[in-house]
Amino acid sequence: MATALEMLTRHAIEAALLVPTPTGLEKSIFDATDGLREYLAERGYHDYASQGQGQDHKVLKQAYLVRPHSLEPTQVSLYRPTTKNGDPRIWLGHPVRSYAGAFNLLALTVIDGTLYVLNMSDPSVQVSLDDAGSPFRKLVDRADHGDVVASELLDLLRQISSKGYLRTLRPGDTGIGFTLETMLGISANSKQAPDYKGIELKAKRSRVGTDTNRSTLFSKVPNWNLSPVGNALGLLKTRGYVDGDGRLSLYHTLSGRGPNSLGLALDIDAENDWLRQVYHDPATRRVVHDVTWEIPILKSDLAAKHRQTFWVRAMCRGAGQDEEFHYVEVKRTRRPMTANFVALVEAGIITVDYALHKKSETRARDHGYLFKIHPDNLGALFPPPEIHALS
């Protein structure tokens, strides 16, 4: 299985896995597992949760079995029977019985709204993934939109790099990104959409040739309706502290590996599919739930934000308003593996930064609820990047 997953990841193919039993294969009918249902819903292909039971609610779609040199048409039926509590089922058509054997590993992937089934236990199918001329590989490459725009952006970045060190256009932490975006003609805004014609830009400082700080993946306000603290001001009043300026503040990093110095940690509520911020009370040893994000929404935002991302590294010198940047390298990543999101949170690889303080008696000011990852860990979330020297 590990080899199959590595091959899929290498080609940025996100898929749900299915292992057919002899009984299931005989009828071409399989249980739609939790992972499969979640994947199909996330890709907008099918939502079992909203589907009624019985024949009247059955959904029939065109699908394809991936062979080394062809795509074999089949049909897929998605339904919930009236028996057995309506447990979700998927029928992959009669051709699947000659395509796969019992206990083979099947990968089901959705590309441009169509379902494709790969027998990852078949060595010839595995080899075809590395064959740029195979029908499925061509399909995957065509689906990876943005190559023309990517080439355009690379040319612009090389032009900027050729200018050498550029003085910051804004002092402070955000200067490196603001200066780069200004040079590219991108207006400053707080929109969640990617920066340059669908490509997200992330600029990082490098003083000794390596990345030293975490990068922000995206920012997401919690669902306050599902959060016991009620809102940002409630969070501040419950868990904040008085900073050096006399303000009630909360600037801290949260991790799934355990509580920070304030007793705050991230926790996965698998039953509700929530990411929670909890408080570990040292006096009572109770774990108190404060804040809630809905995991499907976090995954969706991650996928939308980083369909294609340029991680731009810059050498820097000076400080404050005299700081200067020389943009020297780009890592280009595509299609984050959102199925890895929960595991990376639990491992403390993806963290959340609180950055808020009390503005008035009735208002809190926040600078985002920042989901971050260290650049060294990008390989756990993205397929292998392309690396481009700019100078």
Side-chain angles (χ1 to χ4, degrees):
M1 179 180 287
T3 301
L5 290 174
E6 288 172 6
M7 294 196 71
L8 292 169
T9 299
R10 185 165 72 243
H11 295 290
I13 300 169
E14 191 166 8
L17 302 179
L18 194 64
V19 178
T21 63
T23 302
L25 199 58
E26 182 180 352
K27 298 180 179 180
S28 306
I29 298 174
F30 313 99
D31 290 335
T33 62
D34 289 347
L36 176 60
R37 298 199 303 272
E38 181 179 339
Y39 172 75
L40 295 180
E42 286 179 356
R43 298 306 295 263
Y45 184 80
H46 182 71
D47 183 10
Y48 280 102
S50 62
Q51 185 176 22
Q53 294 179 234
Q55 292 291 325
D56 291 343
H57 300 282
K58 183 179 289 188
V59 174
L60 191 66
K61 296 188 178 187
Q62 178 76 56
Y64 293 90
L65 305 176
V66 176
R67 294 192 180 272
H69 306 294
S70 65
L71 299 174
E72 181 179 351
T74 185
Q75 285 189 314
V76 58
S77 176
L78 307 112
Y79 66 99
R80 297 179 60 220
T82 54
T83 58
K84 297 184 178 180
N85 299 318
D87 292 340
R89 300 281 191 270
I90 183 168
W91 176 74
L92 295 179
H94 296 307
V96 77
R97 291 183 291 191
S98 61
Y99 177 70
F103 306 115
N104 282 177
L105 180 66
L106 302 183
L108 281 64
T109 185
V110 176
I111 299 176
D112 291 337
T114 300
L115 184 70
Y116 296 85
V117 181
L118 298 90
N119 185 355
M120 296 305 295
S121 295
D122 184 340
S124 65
V125 172
Q126 291 190 16
V127 170
S128 73
L129 292 180
D130 290 324
D131 179 5
S134 71
F136 182 72
R137 174 65 185 278
K138 288 181 178 178
L139 184 74
V140 171
D141 291 344
R142 283 198 304 270
D144 188 15
H145 303 299
D147 282 349
V148 173
V149 174
S151 295
E152 173 187 309
L153 181 55
L154 269 175
D155 286 343
L156 291 173
L157 290 172
R158 289 191 174 109
Q159 292 174 31
I160 292 171
S161 179
S162 69
K163 301 178 186 295
Y165 279 93
L166 302 171
R167 185 172 179 175
T168 186
L169 298 177
R170 173 192 286 171
D173 291 343
T174 61
I176 185 170
F178 179 78
T179 301
L180 180 61
E181 292 182 358
T182 301
M183 295 296 295
L184 289 168
I186 300 172
S187 300
N189 61 72
S190 59
K191 293 190 302 181
Q192 295 297 310
D195 299 307
Y196 186 88
K197 299 181 181 180
I199 298 178
E200 179 71 7
L201 277 168
K202 293 290 182 182
K204 296 293 294 180
R205 292 171 172 83
S206 179
R207 293 185 184 273
V208 292
T210 58
D211 294 309
T212 57
N213 298 315
R214 293 169 302 143
S215 295
T216 300
L217 289 167
F218 62 98
S219 177
K220 187 65 179 179
V221 175
N223 185 328
W224 295 123
N225 292 329
L226 299 176
S227 301
V229 296
N231 53 37
L233 190 59
L235 175 60
L236 272 175
K237 291 179 178 179
T238 305
R239 305 298 174 207
Y241 55 86
V242 178
D243 65 16
D245 295 323
R247 304 178 307 184
L248 188 62
S249 298
L250 189 53
Y251 289 82
H252 247 272
T253 297
L254 313 173
S255 170
R257 296 186 64 182
N260 60 22
S261 60
L262 297 179
L264 307 181
L266 297 176
D267 172 72
I268 300 296
D269 180 343
E271 182 177 352
N272 290 304
D273 214 8
W274 290 349
L275 172 63
R276 308 186 307 172
Q277 176 260 294
V278 296
Y279 170 65
H280 291 254
D281 189 329
T284 64
R285 297 187 177 180
R286 292 176 58 239
V287 177
V288 182
H289 171 203
D290 293 332
V291 171
T292 305
W293 293 269
E294 294 165 283
I295 290 174
I297 294 176
L298 295 176
K299 289 181 177 181
S300 177
D301 282 9
L302 173 62
K305 187 77 168 176
H306 290 284
R307 180 170 177 79
Q308 184 170 194
T309 303
F310 276 27
W311 308 83
V312 184
R313 182 169 68 86
M315 303 300 292
C316 56
R317 64 188 184 190
Q321 63 183 12
D322 295 321
E323 189 175 17
E324 294 179 314
F325 311 112
H326 183 200
Y327 301 96
V328 296
E329 182 186 82
V330 168
K331 285 184 180 179
R332 179 192 182 195
T333 59
R334 284 171 281 187
R335 291 199 296 267
M337 313 301 283
T338 58
N340 297 352
F341 178 80
V342 169
L344 294 177
V345 170
E346 291 180 314
I349 293 173
I350 292 178
T351 55
V352 175
D353 277 14
Y354 279 159
L356 64 159
H357 62 265
K358 186 177 178 182
K359 185 73 173 176
S360 68
E361 289 303 315
T362 59
R363 183 184 168 202
R365 179 175 182 182
D366 73 71
H367 299 281
Y369 301 81
L370 309 175
F371 286 75
K372 293 192 172 189
I373 191 170
H374 193 279
D376 289 347
N377 297 128
L378 289 177
L381 185 62
F382 296 93
E386 297 174 12
I387 299 178
H388 301 271
L390 298 178
S391 59

